[in-house]
Amino acid sequence: MSIGPEFLYENAFGRLLLKVFSARRLSILAGRFFDSPLSKCLIPSFVSKNGIELSECENTDFHSFNDCFTRQLKKELRPIDMDPKALIAPCDGLLSVWKAEKDMILPVKQSHFLISDLFRDEKLAEEFYGGTCLVYRLCVNHYHRYIYPESGSKGENTFIEGKLHTVRPVALRKLPVFTENCREYTLIDTESFGKIAQIEVGAMFVGKIDNYHGRKRVLRGEEKGKFLYGGSTIILLLKKDAVSMDEKILQASLSGQEYPVKMGERVGSCMYRKTANG
């Protein structure tokens, strides 16, 4: 019997196992194993199965599986668009874009959530209603480091504890994954785009969302953190009239398709420059 995502989410017995597999404690234990030298034996099959090009890495002296999974790519492979009018992708991933509405139903593979549930804060959510919601879904073969999409002053990293479901489409069809899973959000006050919310969402067997910075000032393209093993998601929220998305990305989203992007590339342009009161 194969215990894959379809079995866990669509079979009665599988859903019983899911209660164990989606518990954060199990993912933390799995993360400890992936951090240990014992996990090095998993690296060759992971590299082969996912088409990982080790020649792209800064270093291949991996001491654990997570060393490989969170590998640092050579900087020239992820150039950062430094045009201050450009909104850049904070990570590699499959992007879909939607208008951020109150009581919104997010049509990402039939998943759904409320913006207020992402924050567990209705007042904060209201700031982004009428704005733009960008969802970057990362698969295991993607680069799992991520950056700040713009320079600015940041608030505290706020962690919200939850479960750890997979972010594969079979789970997104069944559950409001983005508001059940562990996540961490950061508010960044930028000059080009106003206030941005960047939300990292963990997934099954992601033992940790590893954000680095406690300081207040951050820079466009600066590494913000990394996900340890598993698929995962980054959600960006921008206020109304802050960004004009590239047409090809909008058209893909309207047709129900996710658009592949790489960290640092332009995905949209700013619609205003922040004022002293903005």
Side-chain angles (χ1 to χ4, degrees):
M1 178 178 63
S2 174
I3 304 179
E6 287 76 15
F7 175 79
L8 289 173
Y9 287 88
E10 297 183 340
N11 178 280
F13 179 63
R15 286 192 289 272
L16 291 175
L17 293 178
L18 181 63
K19 293 181 180 180
V20 177
F21 288 172
S22 63
R24 185 165 175 256
R25 181 175 298 178
L26 181 61
S27 286
I28 289 172
L29 290 174
R32 289 175 181 170
F33 169 70
F34 293 138
D35 278 336
S36 76
L38 294 174
S39 64
K40 288 177 66 176
C41 64
L42 302 176
I43 294 175
S45 61
F46 172 75
V47 168
S48 176
K49 181 178 179 180
N50 292 287
I52 306 299
E53 294 290 343
L54 295 181
S55 61
E56 296 181 349
C57 301
E58 287 281 3
N59 175 41
T60 57
D61 183 21
F62 304 128
H63 299 290
S64 67
F65 179 81
N66 262 336
D67 270 358
C68 177
F69 187 76
T70 62
R71 61 200 175 278
Q72 180 83 58
L73 295 185
K74 296 174 181 176
K75 292 187 181 301
E76 62 267 23
L77 297 177
R78 294 296 183 274
I80 306 300
D81 190 327
M82 297 305 292
D83 181 349
K85 294 184 179 180
L87 179 66
I88 62 172
C91 60
D92 288 13
L94 302 173
L95 172 60
S96 51
V97 181
W98 307 100
K99 190 173 182 180
E101 299 282 14
K102 187 173 183 177
D103 302 326
M104 74 181 283
I105 302 297
L106 183 70
V108 179
K109 306 299 184 183
Q110 296 90 45
S111 185
H112 60 282
F113 64 83
L114 303 178
I115 298 297
S116 57
D117 288 340
L118 279 176
F119 299 117
R120 294 185 183 169
D121 184 331
E122 175 64 35
K123 185 176 180 180
L124 177 56
E126 287 176 355
E127 296 187 40
F128 295 98
Y129 291 157
T132 306
C133 177
L134 294 82
V135 180
Y136 297 86
R137 187 170 66 88
L138 288 76
C139 302
V140 292
N141 60 305
H142 282 127
Y143 187 40
H144 270 70
R145 293 177 181 249
Y146 48 87
I147 60 174
Y148 294 100
E150 180 57 293
S151 301
S153 300
K154 68 177 284 294
E156 299 296 326
N157 299 326
T158 302
F159 180 74
I160 298 176
E161 188 167 336
K163 297 181 180 180
L164 285 166
H165 292 285
T166 178
V167 293
R168 294 188 183 185
V170 65
L172 298 177
R173 289 195 297 268
K174 298 292 183 180
L175 296 165
V177 166
F178 299 132
T179 54
E180 283 204 4
N181 278 16
C182 296
R183 55 201 179 277
E184 189 162 316
Y185 71 83
T186 307
L187 300 176
I188 310 166
D189 189 20
T190 74
E191 183 174 339
S192 292
F193 298 95
K195 183 183 287 186
I196 295 175
Q198 182 166 339
I199 307 162
E200 291 86 30
V201 185
M204 190 175 289
F205 299 135
V206 179
K208 191 176 183 181
I209 299 170
D210 187 10
N211 280 319
Y212 305 149
H213 304 117
R215 70 178 189 278
K216 298 300 183 182
R217 182 69 185 174
V218 297
L219 300 174
R220 168 192 289 253
E222 181 180 11
E223 190 167 292
K224 184 178 190 290
K226 60 181 182 288
F227 291 109
L228 279 70
Y229 178 66
S232 34
T233 300
I234 290 179
I235 299 173
L236 285 187
L237 292 170
L238 294 92
K239 291 188 175 185
K240 185 178 180 181
D241 297 329
V243 64
S244 173
M245 296 300 302
D246 284 0
E247 187 63 27
K248 60 184 182 296
I249 296 173
L250 285 177
Q251 290 303 316
S253 294
L254 288 173
S255 64
Q257 302 297 313
E258 296 169 304
Y259 192 89
V261 298
K262 290 186 178 180
M263 185 178 81
E265 72 176 77
R266 178 194 295 258
V267 296
S269 302
C270 73
M271 294 178 67
Y272 71 93
R273 299 288 286 183
K274 184 183 172 188
T275 67
N277 297 320

